[in-house]
Amino acid sequence: MGSLCCLSSSLVPLYRPIHHFSSFPKIPSATSTSIVASSTSMNNSNSKSKTVWIWTTTPLVVTSALERGWNTFIFSTQNQNLPLHCSSIGVICPLFVGEGEIVDEQGKRVASVFDVSTPEELERLRPDDEQSENIVVNLLDWQVIPAENIIAAFHNSQKKVFAVSNSTSEAKIFLEALEHGLDGIVLKVEDVEHVLELKEYFEKRTEESNLLSLTKVTITRIQAAGMGDRVCVDLCSLMKPGEGLMVGSFARGLFLVHSECLESNYIASRPFRVNAGPVHAYVAVPGGRTCYLSELKSGKEVIVVDQQGRQRVAIIGRVKIETRPLILVEAKRDSDNQTFSILLQNAETVALVCLPQGEAASKTAVPVTSLKVGDEVLLRVQGGARHTGIEIQEFIVEI
């Protein structure tokens, strides 16, 4: 069992224990079938590890879980052959589920299991009343508010709380509640797609903890380019000075386009917005991919990046496409003299993020209307060949 984080929050009262899962059978004396696979994954909502158990009777789901590093399994009693099959696929660490508890091979309890279907049952769940290191809750009615209350109640406890999830979307609710999320989930599914989706979710969140390598480039050309359809991307998150989206005319080099979070005398700041560029431009999205600005829409995700290369995932709330005057900006990297370019709306509120240096350490961005040849801005250099937004290795010339 992977180690879990202690959550920090300071809300609501503590609770007492409640009834057990009626659906859990007695502890078997031998082998069984319903399985729960366990592994520790990262979730950047609190940058702490989360444990995943996968409860299934489908061998393909077992195989998929093993291939993705989830290899501690919990067995129950329907089929004597499945545990044997699992051990032939890969090395497993077995646990066993009984009435109201999960035990290891020696019969030692490693988790207590509870149904929660009413506010009264939730009120009675208290961390100091249980001897088990781990608690598994099955939230049968409301999910979000009970999960938040549990997180707050257990934030100073050494106990770890898991929630039973019947889909990846439910799992996300529990892993992100109150920003911290529960310590882990039991993903109870028979469809392998849920395992794949959950693994992709964790990979995206792990990606957020990795710094993007940003390169300093020097502006070599600035030129008015005429009218074009530009895209404003309005996020469901607020951005701070120094943050924006990675955008470029070519996927090989994406400029860090600043948000409209800076104050001005002529227009109110819009810290949720990036005036990102024309419809043809590439923008960075999770998973190391790009997509065209014209493909963005409500509900899609993009990567928000700051001056240091820290990144996070943000959800798009709205996209606006309007015809506006454009300006062409070209820049070169000192190391190889390679040229990169971007088109942006020619307006004072549109800016590129720069590298703070010396006396200008507090400076975060340069408006395109003030940009000069010789100015230095930040760029992400990457592979230029793309297929449906995925980087591939092939010969390509783009000018």
Side-chain angles (χ1 to χ4, degrees):
M1 301 250 294
S3 63
L4 297 173
C5 58
C6 293
L7 300 175
S8 60
S9 162
S10 56
L11 303 168
V12 298
L14 302 177
Y15 314 110
R16 292 190 177 276
I18 48 176
H19 353 73
H20 304 303
F21 268 128
S22 58
S23 56
F24 277 105
K26 296 287 186 182
I27 300 173
S29 57
T31 53
S32 67
T33 67
S34 191
I35 326 173
V36 181
S38 170
S39 170
T40 301
S41 301
M42 294 299 296
N43 182 327
N44 206 47
S45 64
N46 58 3
S47 299
K48 299 292 184 179
S49 58
K50 304 290 185 182
T51 293
V52 176
W53 298 344
I54 300 177
W55 183 4
T56 187
T57 58
T58 304
L60 188 58
V61 173
V62 176
T63 302
S64 180
L66 282 169
E67 288 173 347
R68 281 147 188 85
W70 294 326
N71 57 6
T72 300
F73 290 86
I74 295 177
F75 301 102
S76 55
T77 55
Q78 276 103 37
N79 185 323
Q80 301 293 318
N81 298 320
L82 193 52
L84 218 49
H85 176 66
C86 292
S87 62
S88 69
I89 297 170
V91 178
I92 65 172
C93 177
L95 298 175
F96 301 92
V97 63
E99 185 176 349
E101 65 179 0
I102 296 171
V103 300
D104 62 17
E105 288 181 287
Q106 287 72 46
K108 179 182 177 182
R109 177 187 288 190
V110 296
S112 299
V113 192
F114 302 105
D115 279 332
V116 177
S117 58
T118 68
E120 291 74 26
E121 289 172 348
L122 186 64
E123 286 288 337
R124 292 195 297 271
L125 180 60
R126 289 182 178 270
D128 55 354
D129 285 344
E130 274 304 316
Q131 296 181 354
S132 299
E133 177 186 350
N134 305 306
I135 296 173
V136 176
V137 295
N138 189 22
L139 299 175
L140 301 173
D141 189 21
W142 284 19
Q143 294 181 329
V144 178
I145 300 302
E148 291 179 348
N149 289 354
I150 291 169
I151 291 166
F154 281 76
H155 79 279
N156 282 328
S157 171
Q158 295 301 309
K159 293 178 172 58
K160 318 304 175 188
V161 183
F162 303 74
V164 176
S165 309
N166 295 304
S167 67
T168 307
S169 59
E170 282 188 8
K172 291 178 183 179
I173 290 173
F174 300 131
L175 292 169
E176 296 176 354
L178 267 193
E179 293 189 37
H180 299 282
L182 293 173
D183 299 288
I185 59 163
V186 175
L187 186 65
K188 187 178 182 182
V189 297
E190 303 302 330
D191 187 346
V192 71
E193 284 302 313
H194 293 291
V195 177
L196 303 179
E197 289 170 2
L198 187 63
K199 186 64 175 180
E200 182 181 8
Y201 167 81
F202 279 119
E203 287 173 348
K204 286 181 181 179
R205 270 48 196 176
T206 301
E207 179 184 38
E208 292 184 33
S209 65
N210 299 327
L211 286 178
L212 273 184
S213 175
L214 300 179
T215 301
K216 178 183 69 177
V217 291
T218 303
I219 302 299
T220 57
R221 184 186 176 201
I222 306 159
Q223 178 182 317
M227 303 295 286
D229 295 332
R230 70 95 176 96
V231 180
C232 275
V233 183
D234 293 351
L235 304 179
C236 297
S237 306
L238 298 177
M239 288 170 279
K240 304 184 296 289
E243 287 188 318
L245 301 181
M246 304 301 307
V247 183
S249 289
F250 307 106
R252 66 173 181 266
L254 302 181
F255 292 79
L256 184 47
V257 181
H258 201 263
S259 73
E260 294 188 9
C261 66
L262 301 178
E263 296 289 343
S264 74
N265 294 327
Y266 292 92
I267 190 169
S269 67
R270 294 177 174 86
F272 53 83
R273 173 172 295 172
V274 177
N275 189 330
V279 289
H280 79 283
Y282 287 105
V283 62
V285 297
R289 299 188 178 199
T290 59
C291 72
Y292 298 118
L293 286 176
S294 61
E295 295 175 325
L296 297 182
K297 60 183 179 180
S298 297
K300 280 202 168 187
E301 294 178 328
V302 289
I303 297 292
V304 173
V305 182
D306 71 6
Q307 281 177 301
Q308 284 72 44
R310 292 185 291 257
Q311 55 182 317
R312 58 188 172 93
V313 175
I315 299 169
I316 296 170
R318 173 179 54 243
V319 173
K320 294 201 310 176
I321 301 177
E322 298 163 311
T323 301
R324 294 291 186 268
L326 303 177
I327 188 169
L328 171 67
V329 178
E330 291 184 351
K332 286 188 177 181
R333 186 170 55 171
D334 294 338
S335 59
D336 56 10
N337 212 33
Q338 188 176 4
T339 298
F340 306 92
S341 70
I342 187 172
L343 285 128
L344 294 163
Q345 181 181 341
N346 191 1
E348 291 85 355
T349 53
V350 182
L352 294 174
V353 177
C354 58
L355 183 68
Q357 294 181 3
E359 296 179 0
S362 61
K363 187 177 182 180
T364 58
V366 182
V368 294
T369 52
S370 303
L371 205 58
K372 302 183 302 294
V373 171
D375 285 344
E376 294 174 338
V377 297
L378 292 175
L379 182 94
R380 165 72 173 169
V381 178
Q382 55 189 20
R386 300 267 155 171
H387 176 70
T388 63
I390 304 170
E391 183 175 339
I392 59 173
Q393 298 299 316
E394 70 171 3
F395 175 74
I396 183 171
V397 176
E398 290 181 305
I399 56 174

